[in-house]
Amino acid sequence: MTATLSFIQQTFDRFNALCFEGALPPIPIVLTKARTFLGKVEYRGVRGLFGLVTAKRDFRMKISTSFDLPQEELEDVVLHEMIHYYIAWKGIRDSSVHGNVFRNIMEQLNARYGRHITIRHKAKDGQLSEKTSTRTRRQYVCVTTFRDGARCITVAAGTKISELHRFFSCCPDIVKLQWYGSFDTFFDRYPRSRTPKVYKIPPDELELHLKDAVILELGR
């Protein structure tokens, strides 16, 4: 079947009550003809100092109408996105986009309700992730360590590296910074900053994605 607004809304309401105890607020549902994903949840981050996300607003769920799926599979797509919505709306920190928290919730729902939710959505013409990309490009990543011990990253536009480096070097709240060059596609999910914006990241996840990175030496 092809997704319709009424079906997605009914599916959301049914599983919200059954699987999430009605905890999820209503979310706008948008149908799209995208062929690079089956579903995704989007939201606007409210940023404070240095661009850190302090709250999340304007949630919406996007479902593609470009695929003809069995009803059960389409329901699992909606459930997959509802897990993302639950984690984001609750402000739960996960180890990655499909990290331990996501996987634990997914496995519980599959076991309890006989579902077949997966990490990657599947379609007839192949396996699709929510963010499909064939790009392999070098990213310039600045890791900043703050006085409170928080470690953050900035993925910089190439033309703004020197400017951002000077700014971070003069910031009294930053006690250490290091630049890296990396081809890890993990960093593609972050915007290429032209202004000082940092994103908190768990230390173990950061080390994992920097293990093959090249250290870049910049002067003050």
Side-chain angles (χ1 to χ4, degrees):
M1 65 178 297
T2 301
T4 64
L5 195 59
S6 60
F7 177 80
I8 302 303
Q9 186 65 67
Q10 291 170 10
T11 301
F12 177 91
D13 293 342
R14 177 159 60 94
F15 287 126
N16 188 23
L18 178 65
C19 304
F20 297 92
E21 299 181 344
L24 294 175
I27 184 173
I29 296 170
V30 179
L31 299 183
T32 173
K33 294 183 179 180
R35 298 196 62 84
T36 56
F37 65 86
L38 289 172
K40 68 167 63 173
V41 166
E42 298 178 333
Y43 56 83
R44 177 177 61 86
V46 179
R47 301 186 182 281
L49 186 64
F50 294 114
L52 290 173
V53 175
T54 58
K56 297 169 183 176
R57 299 283 188 272
D58 301 334
F59 287 93
R60 65 176 182 172
M61 181 184 295
K62 298 176 72 173
I63 301 293
S64 176
T65 60
S66 293
F67 303 94
D68 185 7
L69 301 176
Q71 178 175 325
E72 184 174 334
E73 289 187 23
L74 185 54
E75 290 173 345
D76 287 340
V77 169
V78 176
L79 269 169
H80 178 118
E81 300 311 322
M82 291 178 73
I83 298 174
H84 281 306
Y85 180 31
Y86 178 84
I87 293 172
W89 182 73
K90 287 285 190 178
I92 300 171
R93 176 177 291 184
D94 204 351
S95 57
S96 63
V97 176
H98 296 112
N100 295 330
V101 175
F102 182 96
R103 291 170 185 265
N104 286 339
I105 297 174
M106 179 186 73
E107 290 169 3
Q108 290 174 17
L109 295 183
N110 284 341
R112 185 172 183 179
Y113 300 106
R115 306 304 309 184
H116 299 89
I117 312 164
T118 59
I119 294 298
R120 290 182 178 270
H121 297 318
K122 294 182 179 180
K124 290 182 179 180
D125 58 350
Q127 196 175 49
L128 299 173
S129 68
E130 291 160 300
K131 292 185 177 180
T132 302
S133 176
T134 58
R135 297 175 301 167
T136 302
R137 66 180 183 182
R138 191 181 197 187
Q139 297 284 24
Y140 298 99
V141 182
C142 182
V143 178
T144 45
T145 303
F146 287 77
R147 291 189 182 279
D148 63 0
R151 297 185 74 191
C152 302
I153 67 169
T154 301
V155 178
T159 58
K160 293 294 182 178
I161 293 175
S162 296
E163 183 178 329
L164 291 172
H165 182 72
R166 287 194 297 271
F167 179 89
F168 289 140
S169 296
C170 296
C171 180
D173 291 326
I174 295 175
V175 296
K176 182 180 178 181
L177 70 149
Q178 180 63 63
W179 287 87
Y180 297 86
S182 174
F183 286 99
D184 192 323
T185 56
F186 169 82
F187 296 109
D188 288 353
R189 71 186 64 184
Y190 295 94
R192 304 182 89 182
S193 296
R194 303 176 67 85
T195 57
K197 291 182 179 180
V198 299
Y199 300 85
K200 285 184 179 179
I201 182 170
D204 55 344
E205 185 176 8
L206 178 59
E207 296 302 326
L208 173 65
H209 292 289
L210 286 178
K211 63 184 179 66
D212 296 321
V214 176
I215 296 176
L216 304 178
E217 299 294 343
L218 281 75
R220 291 185 67 88

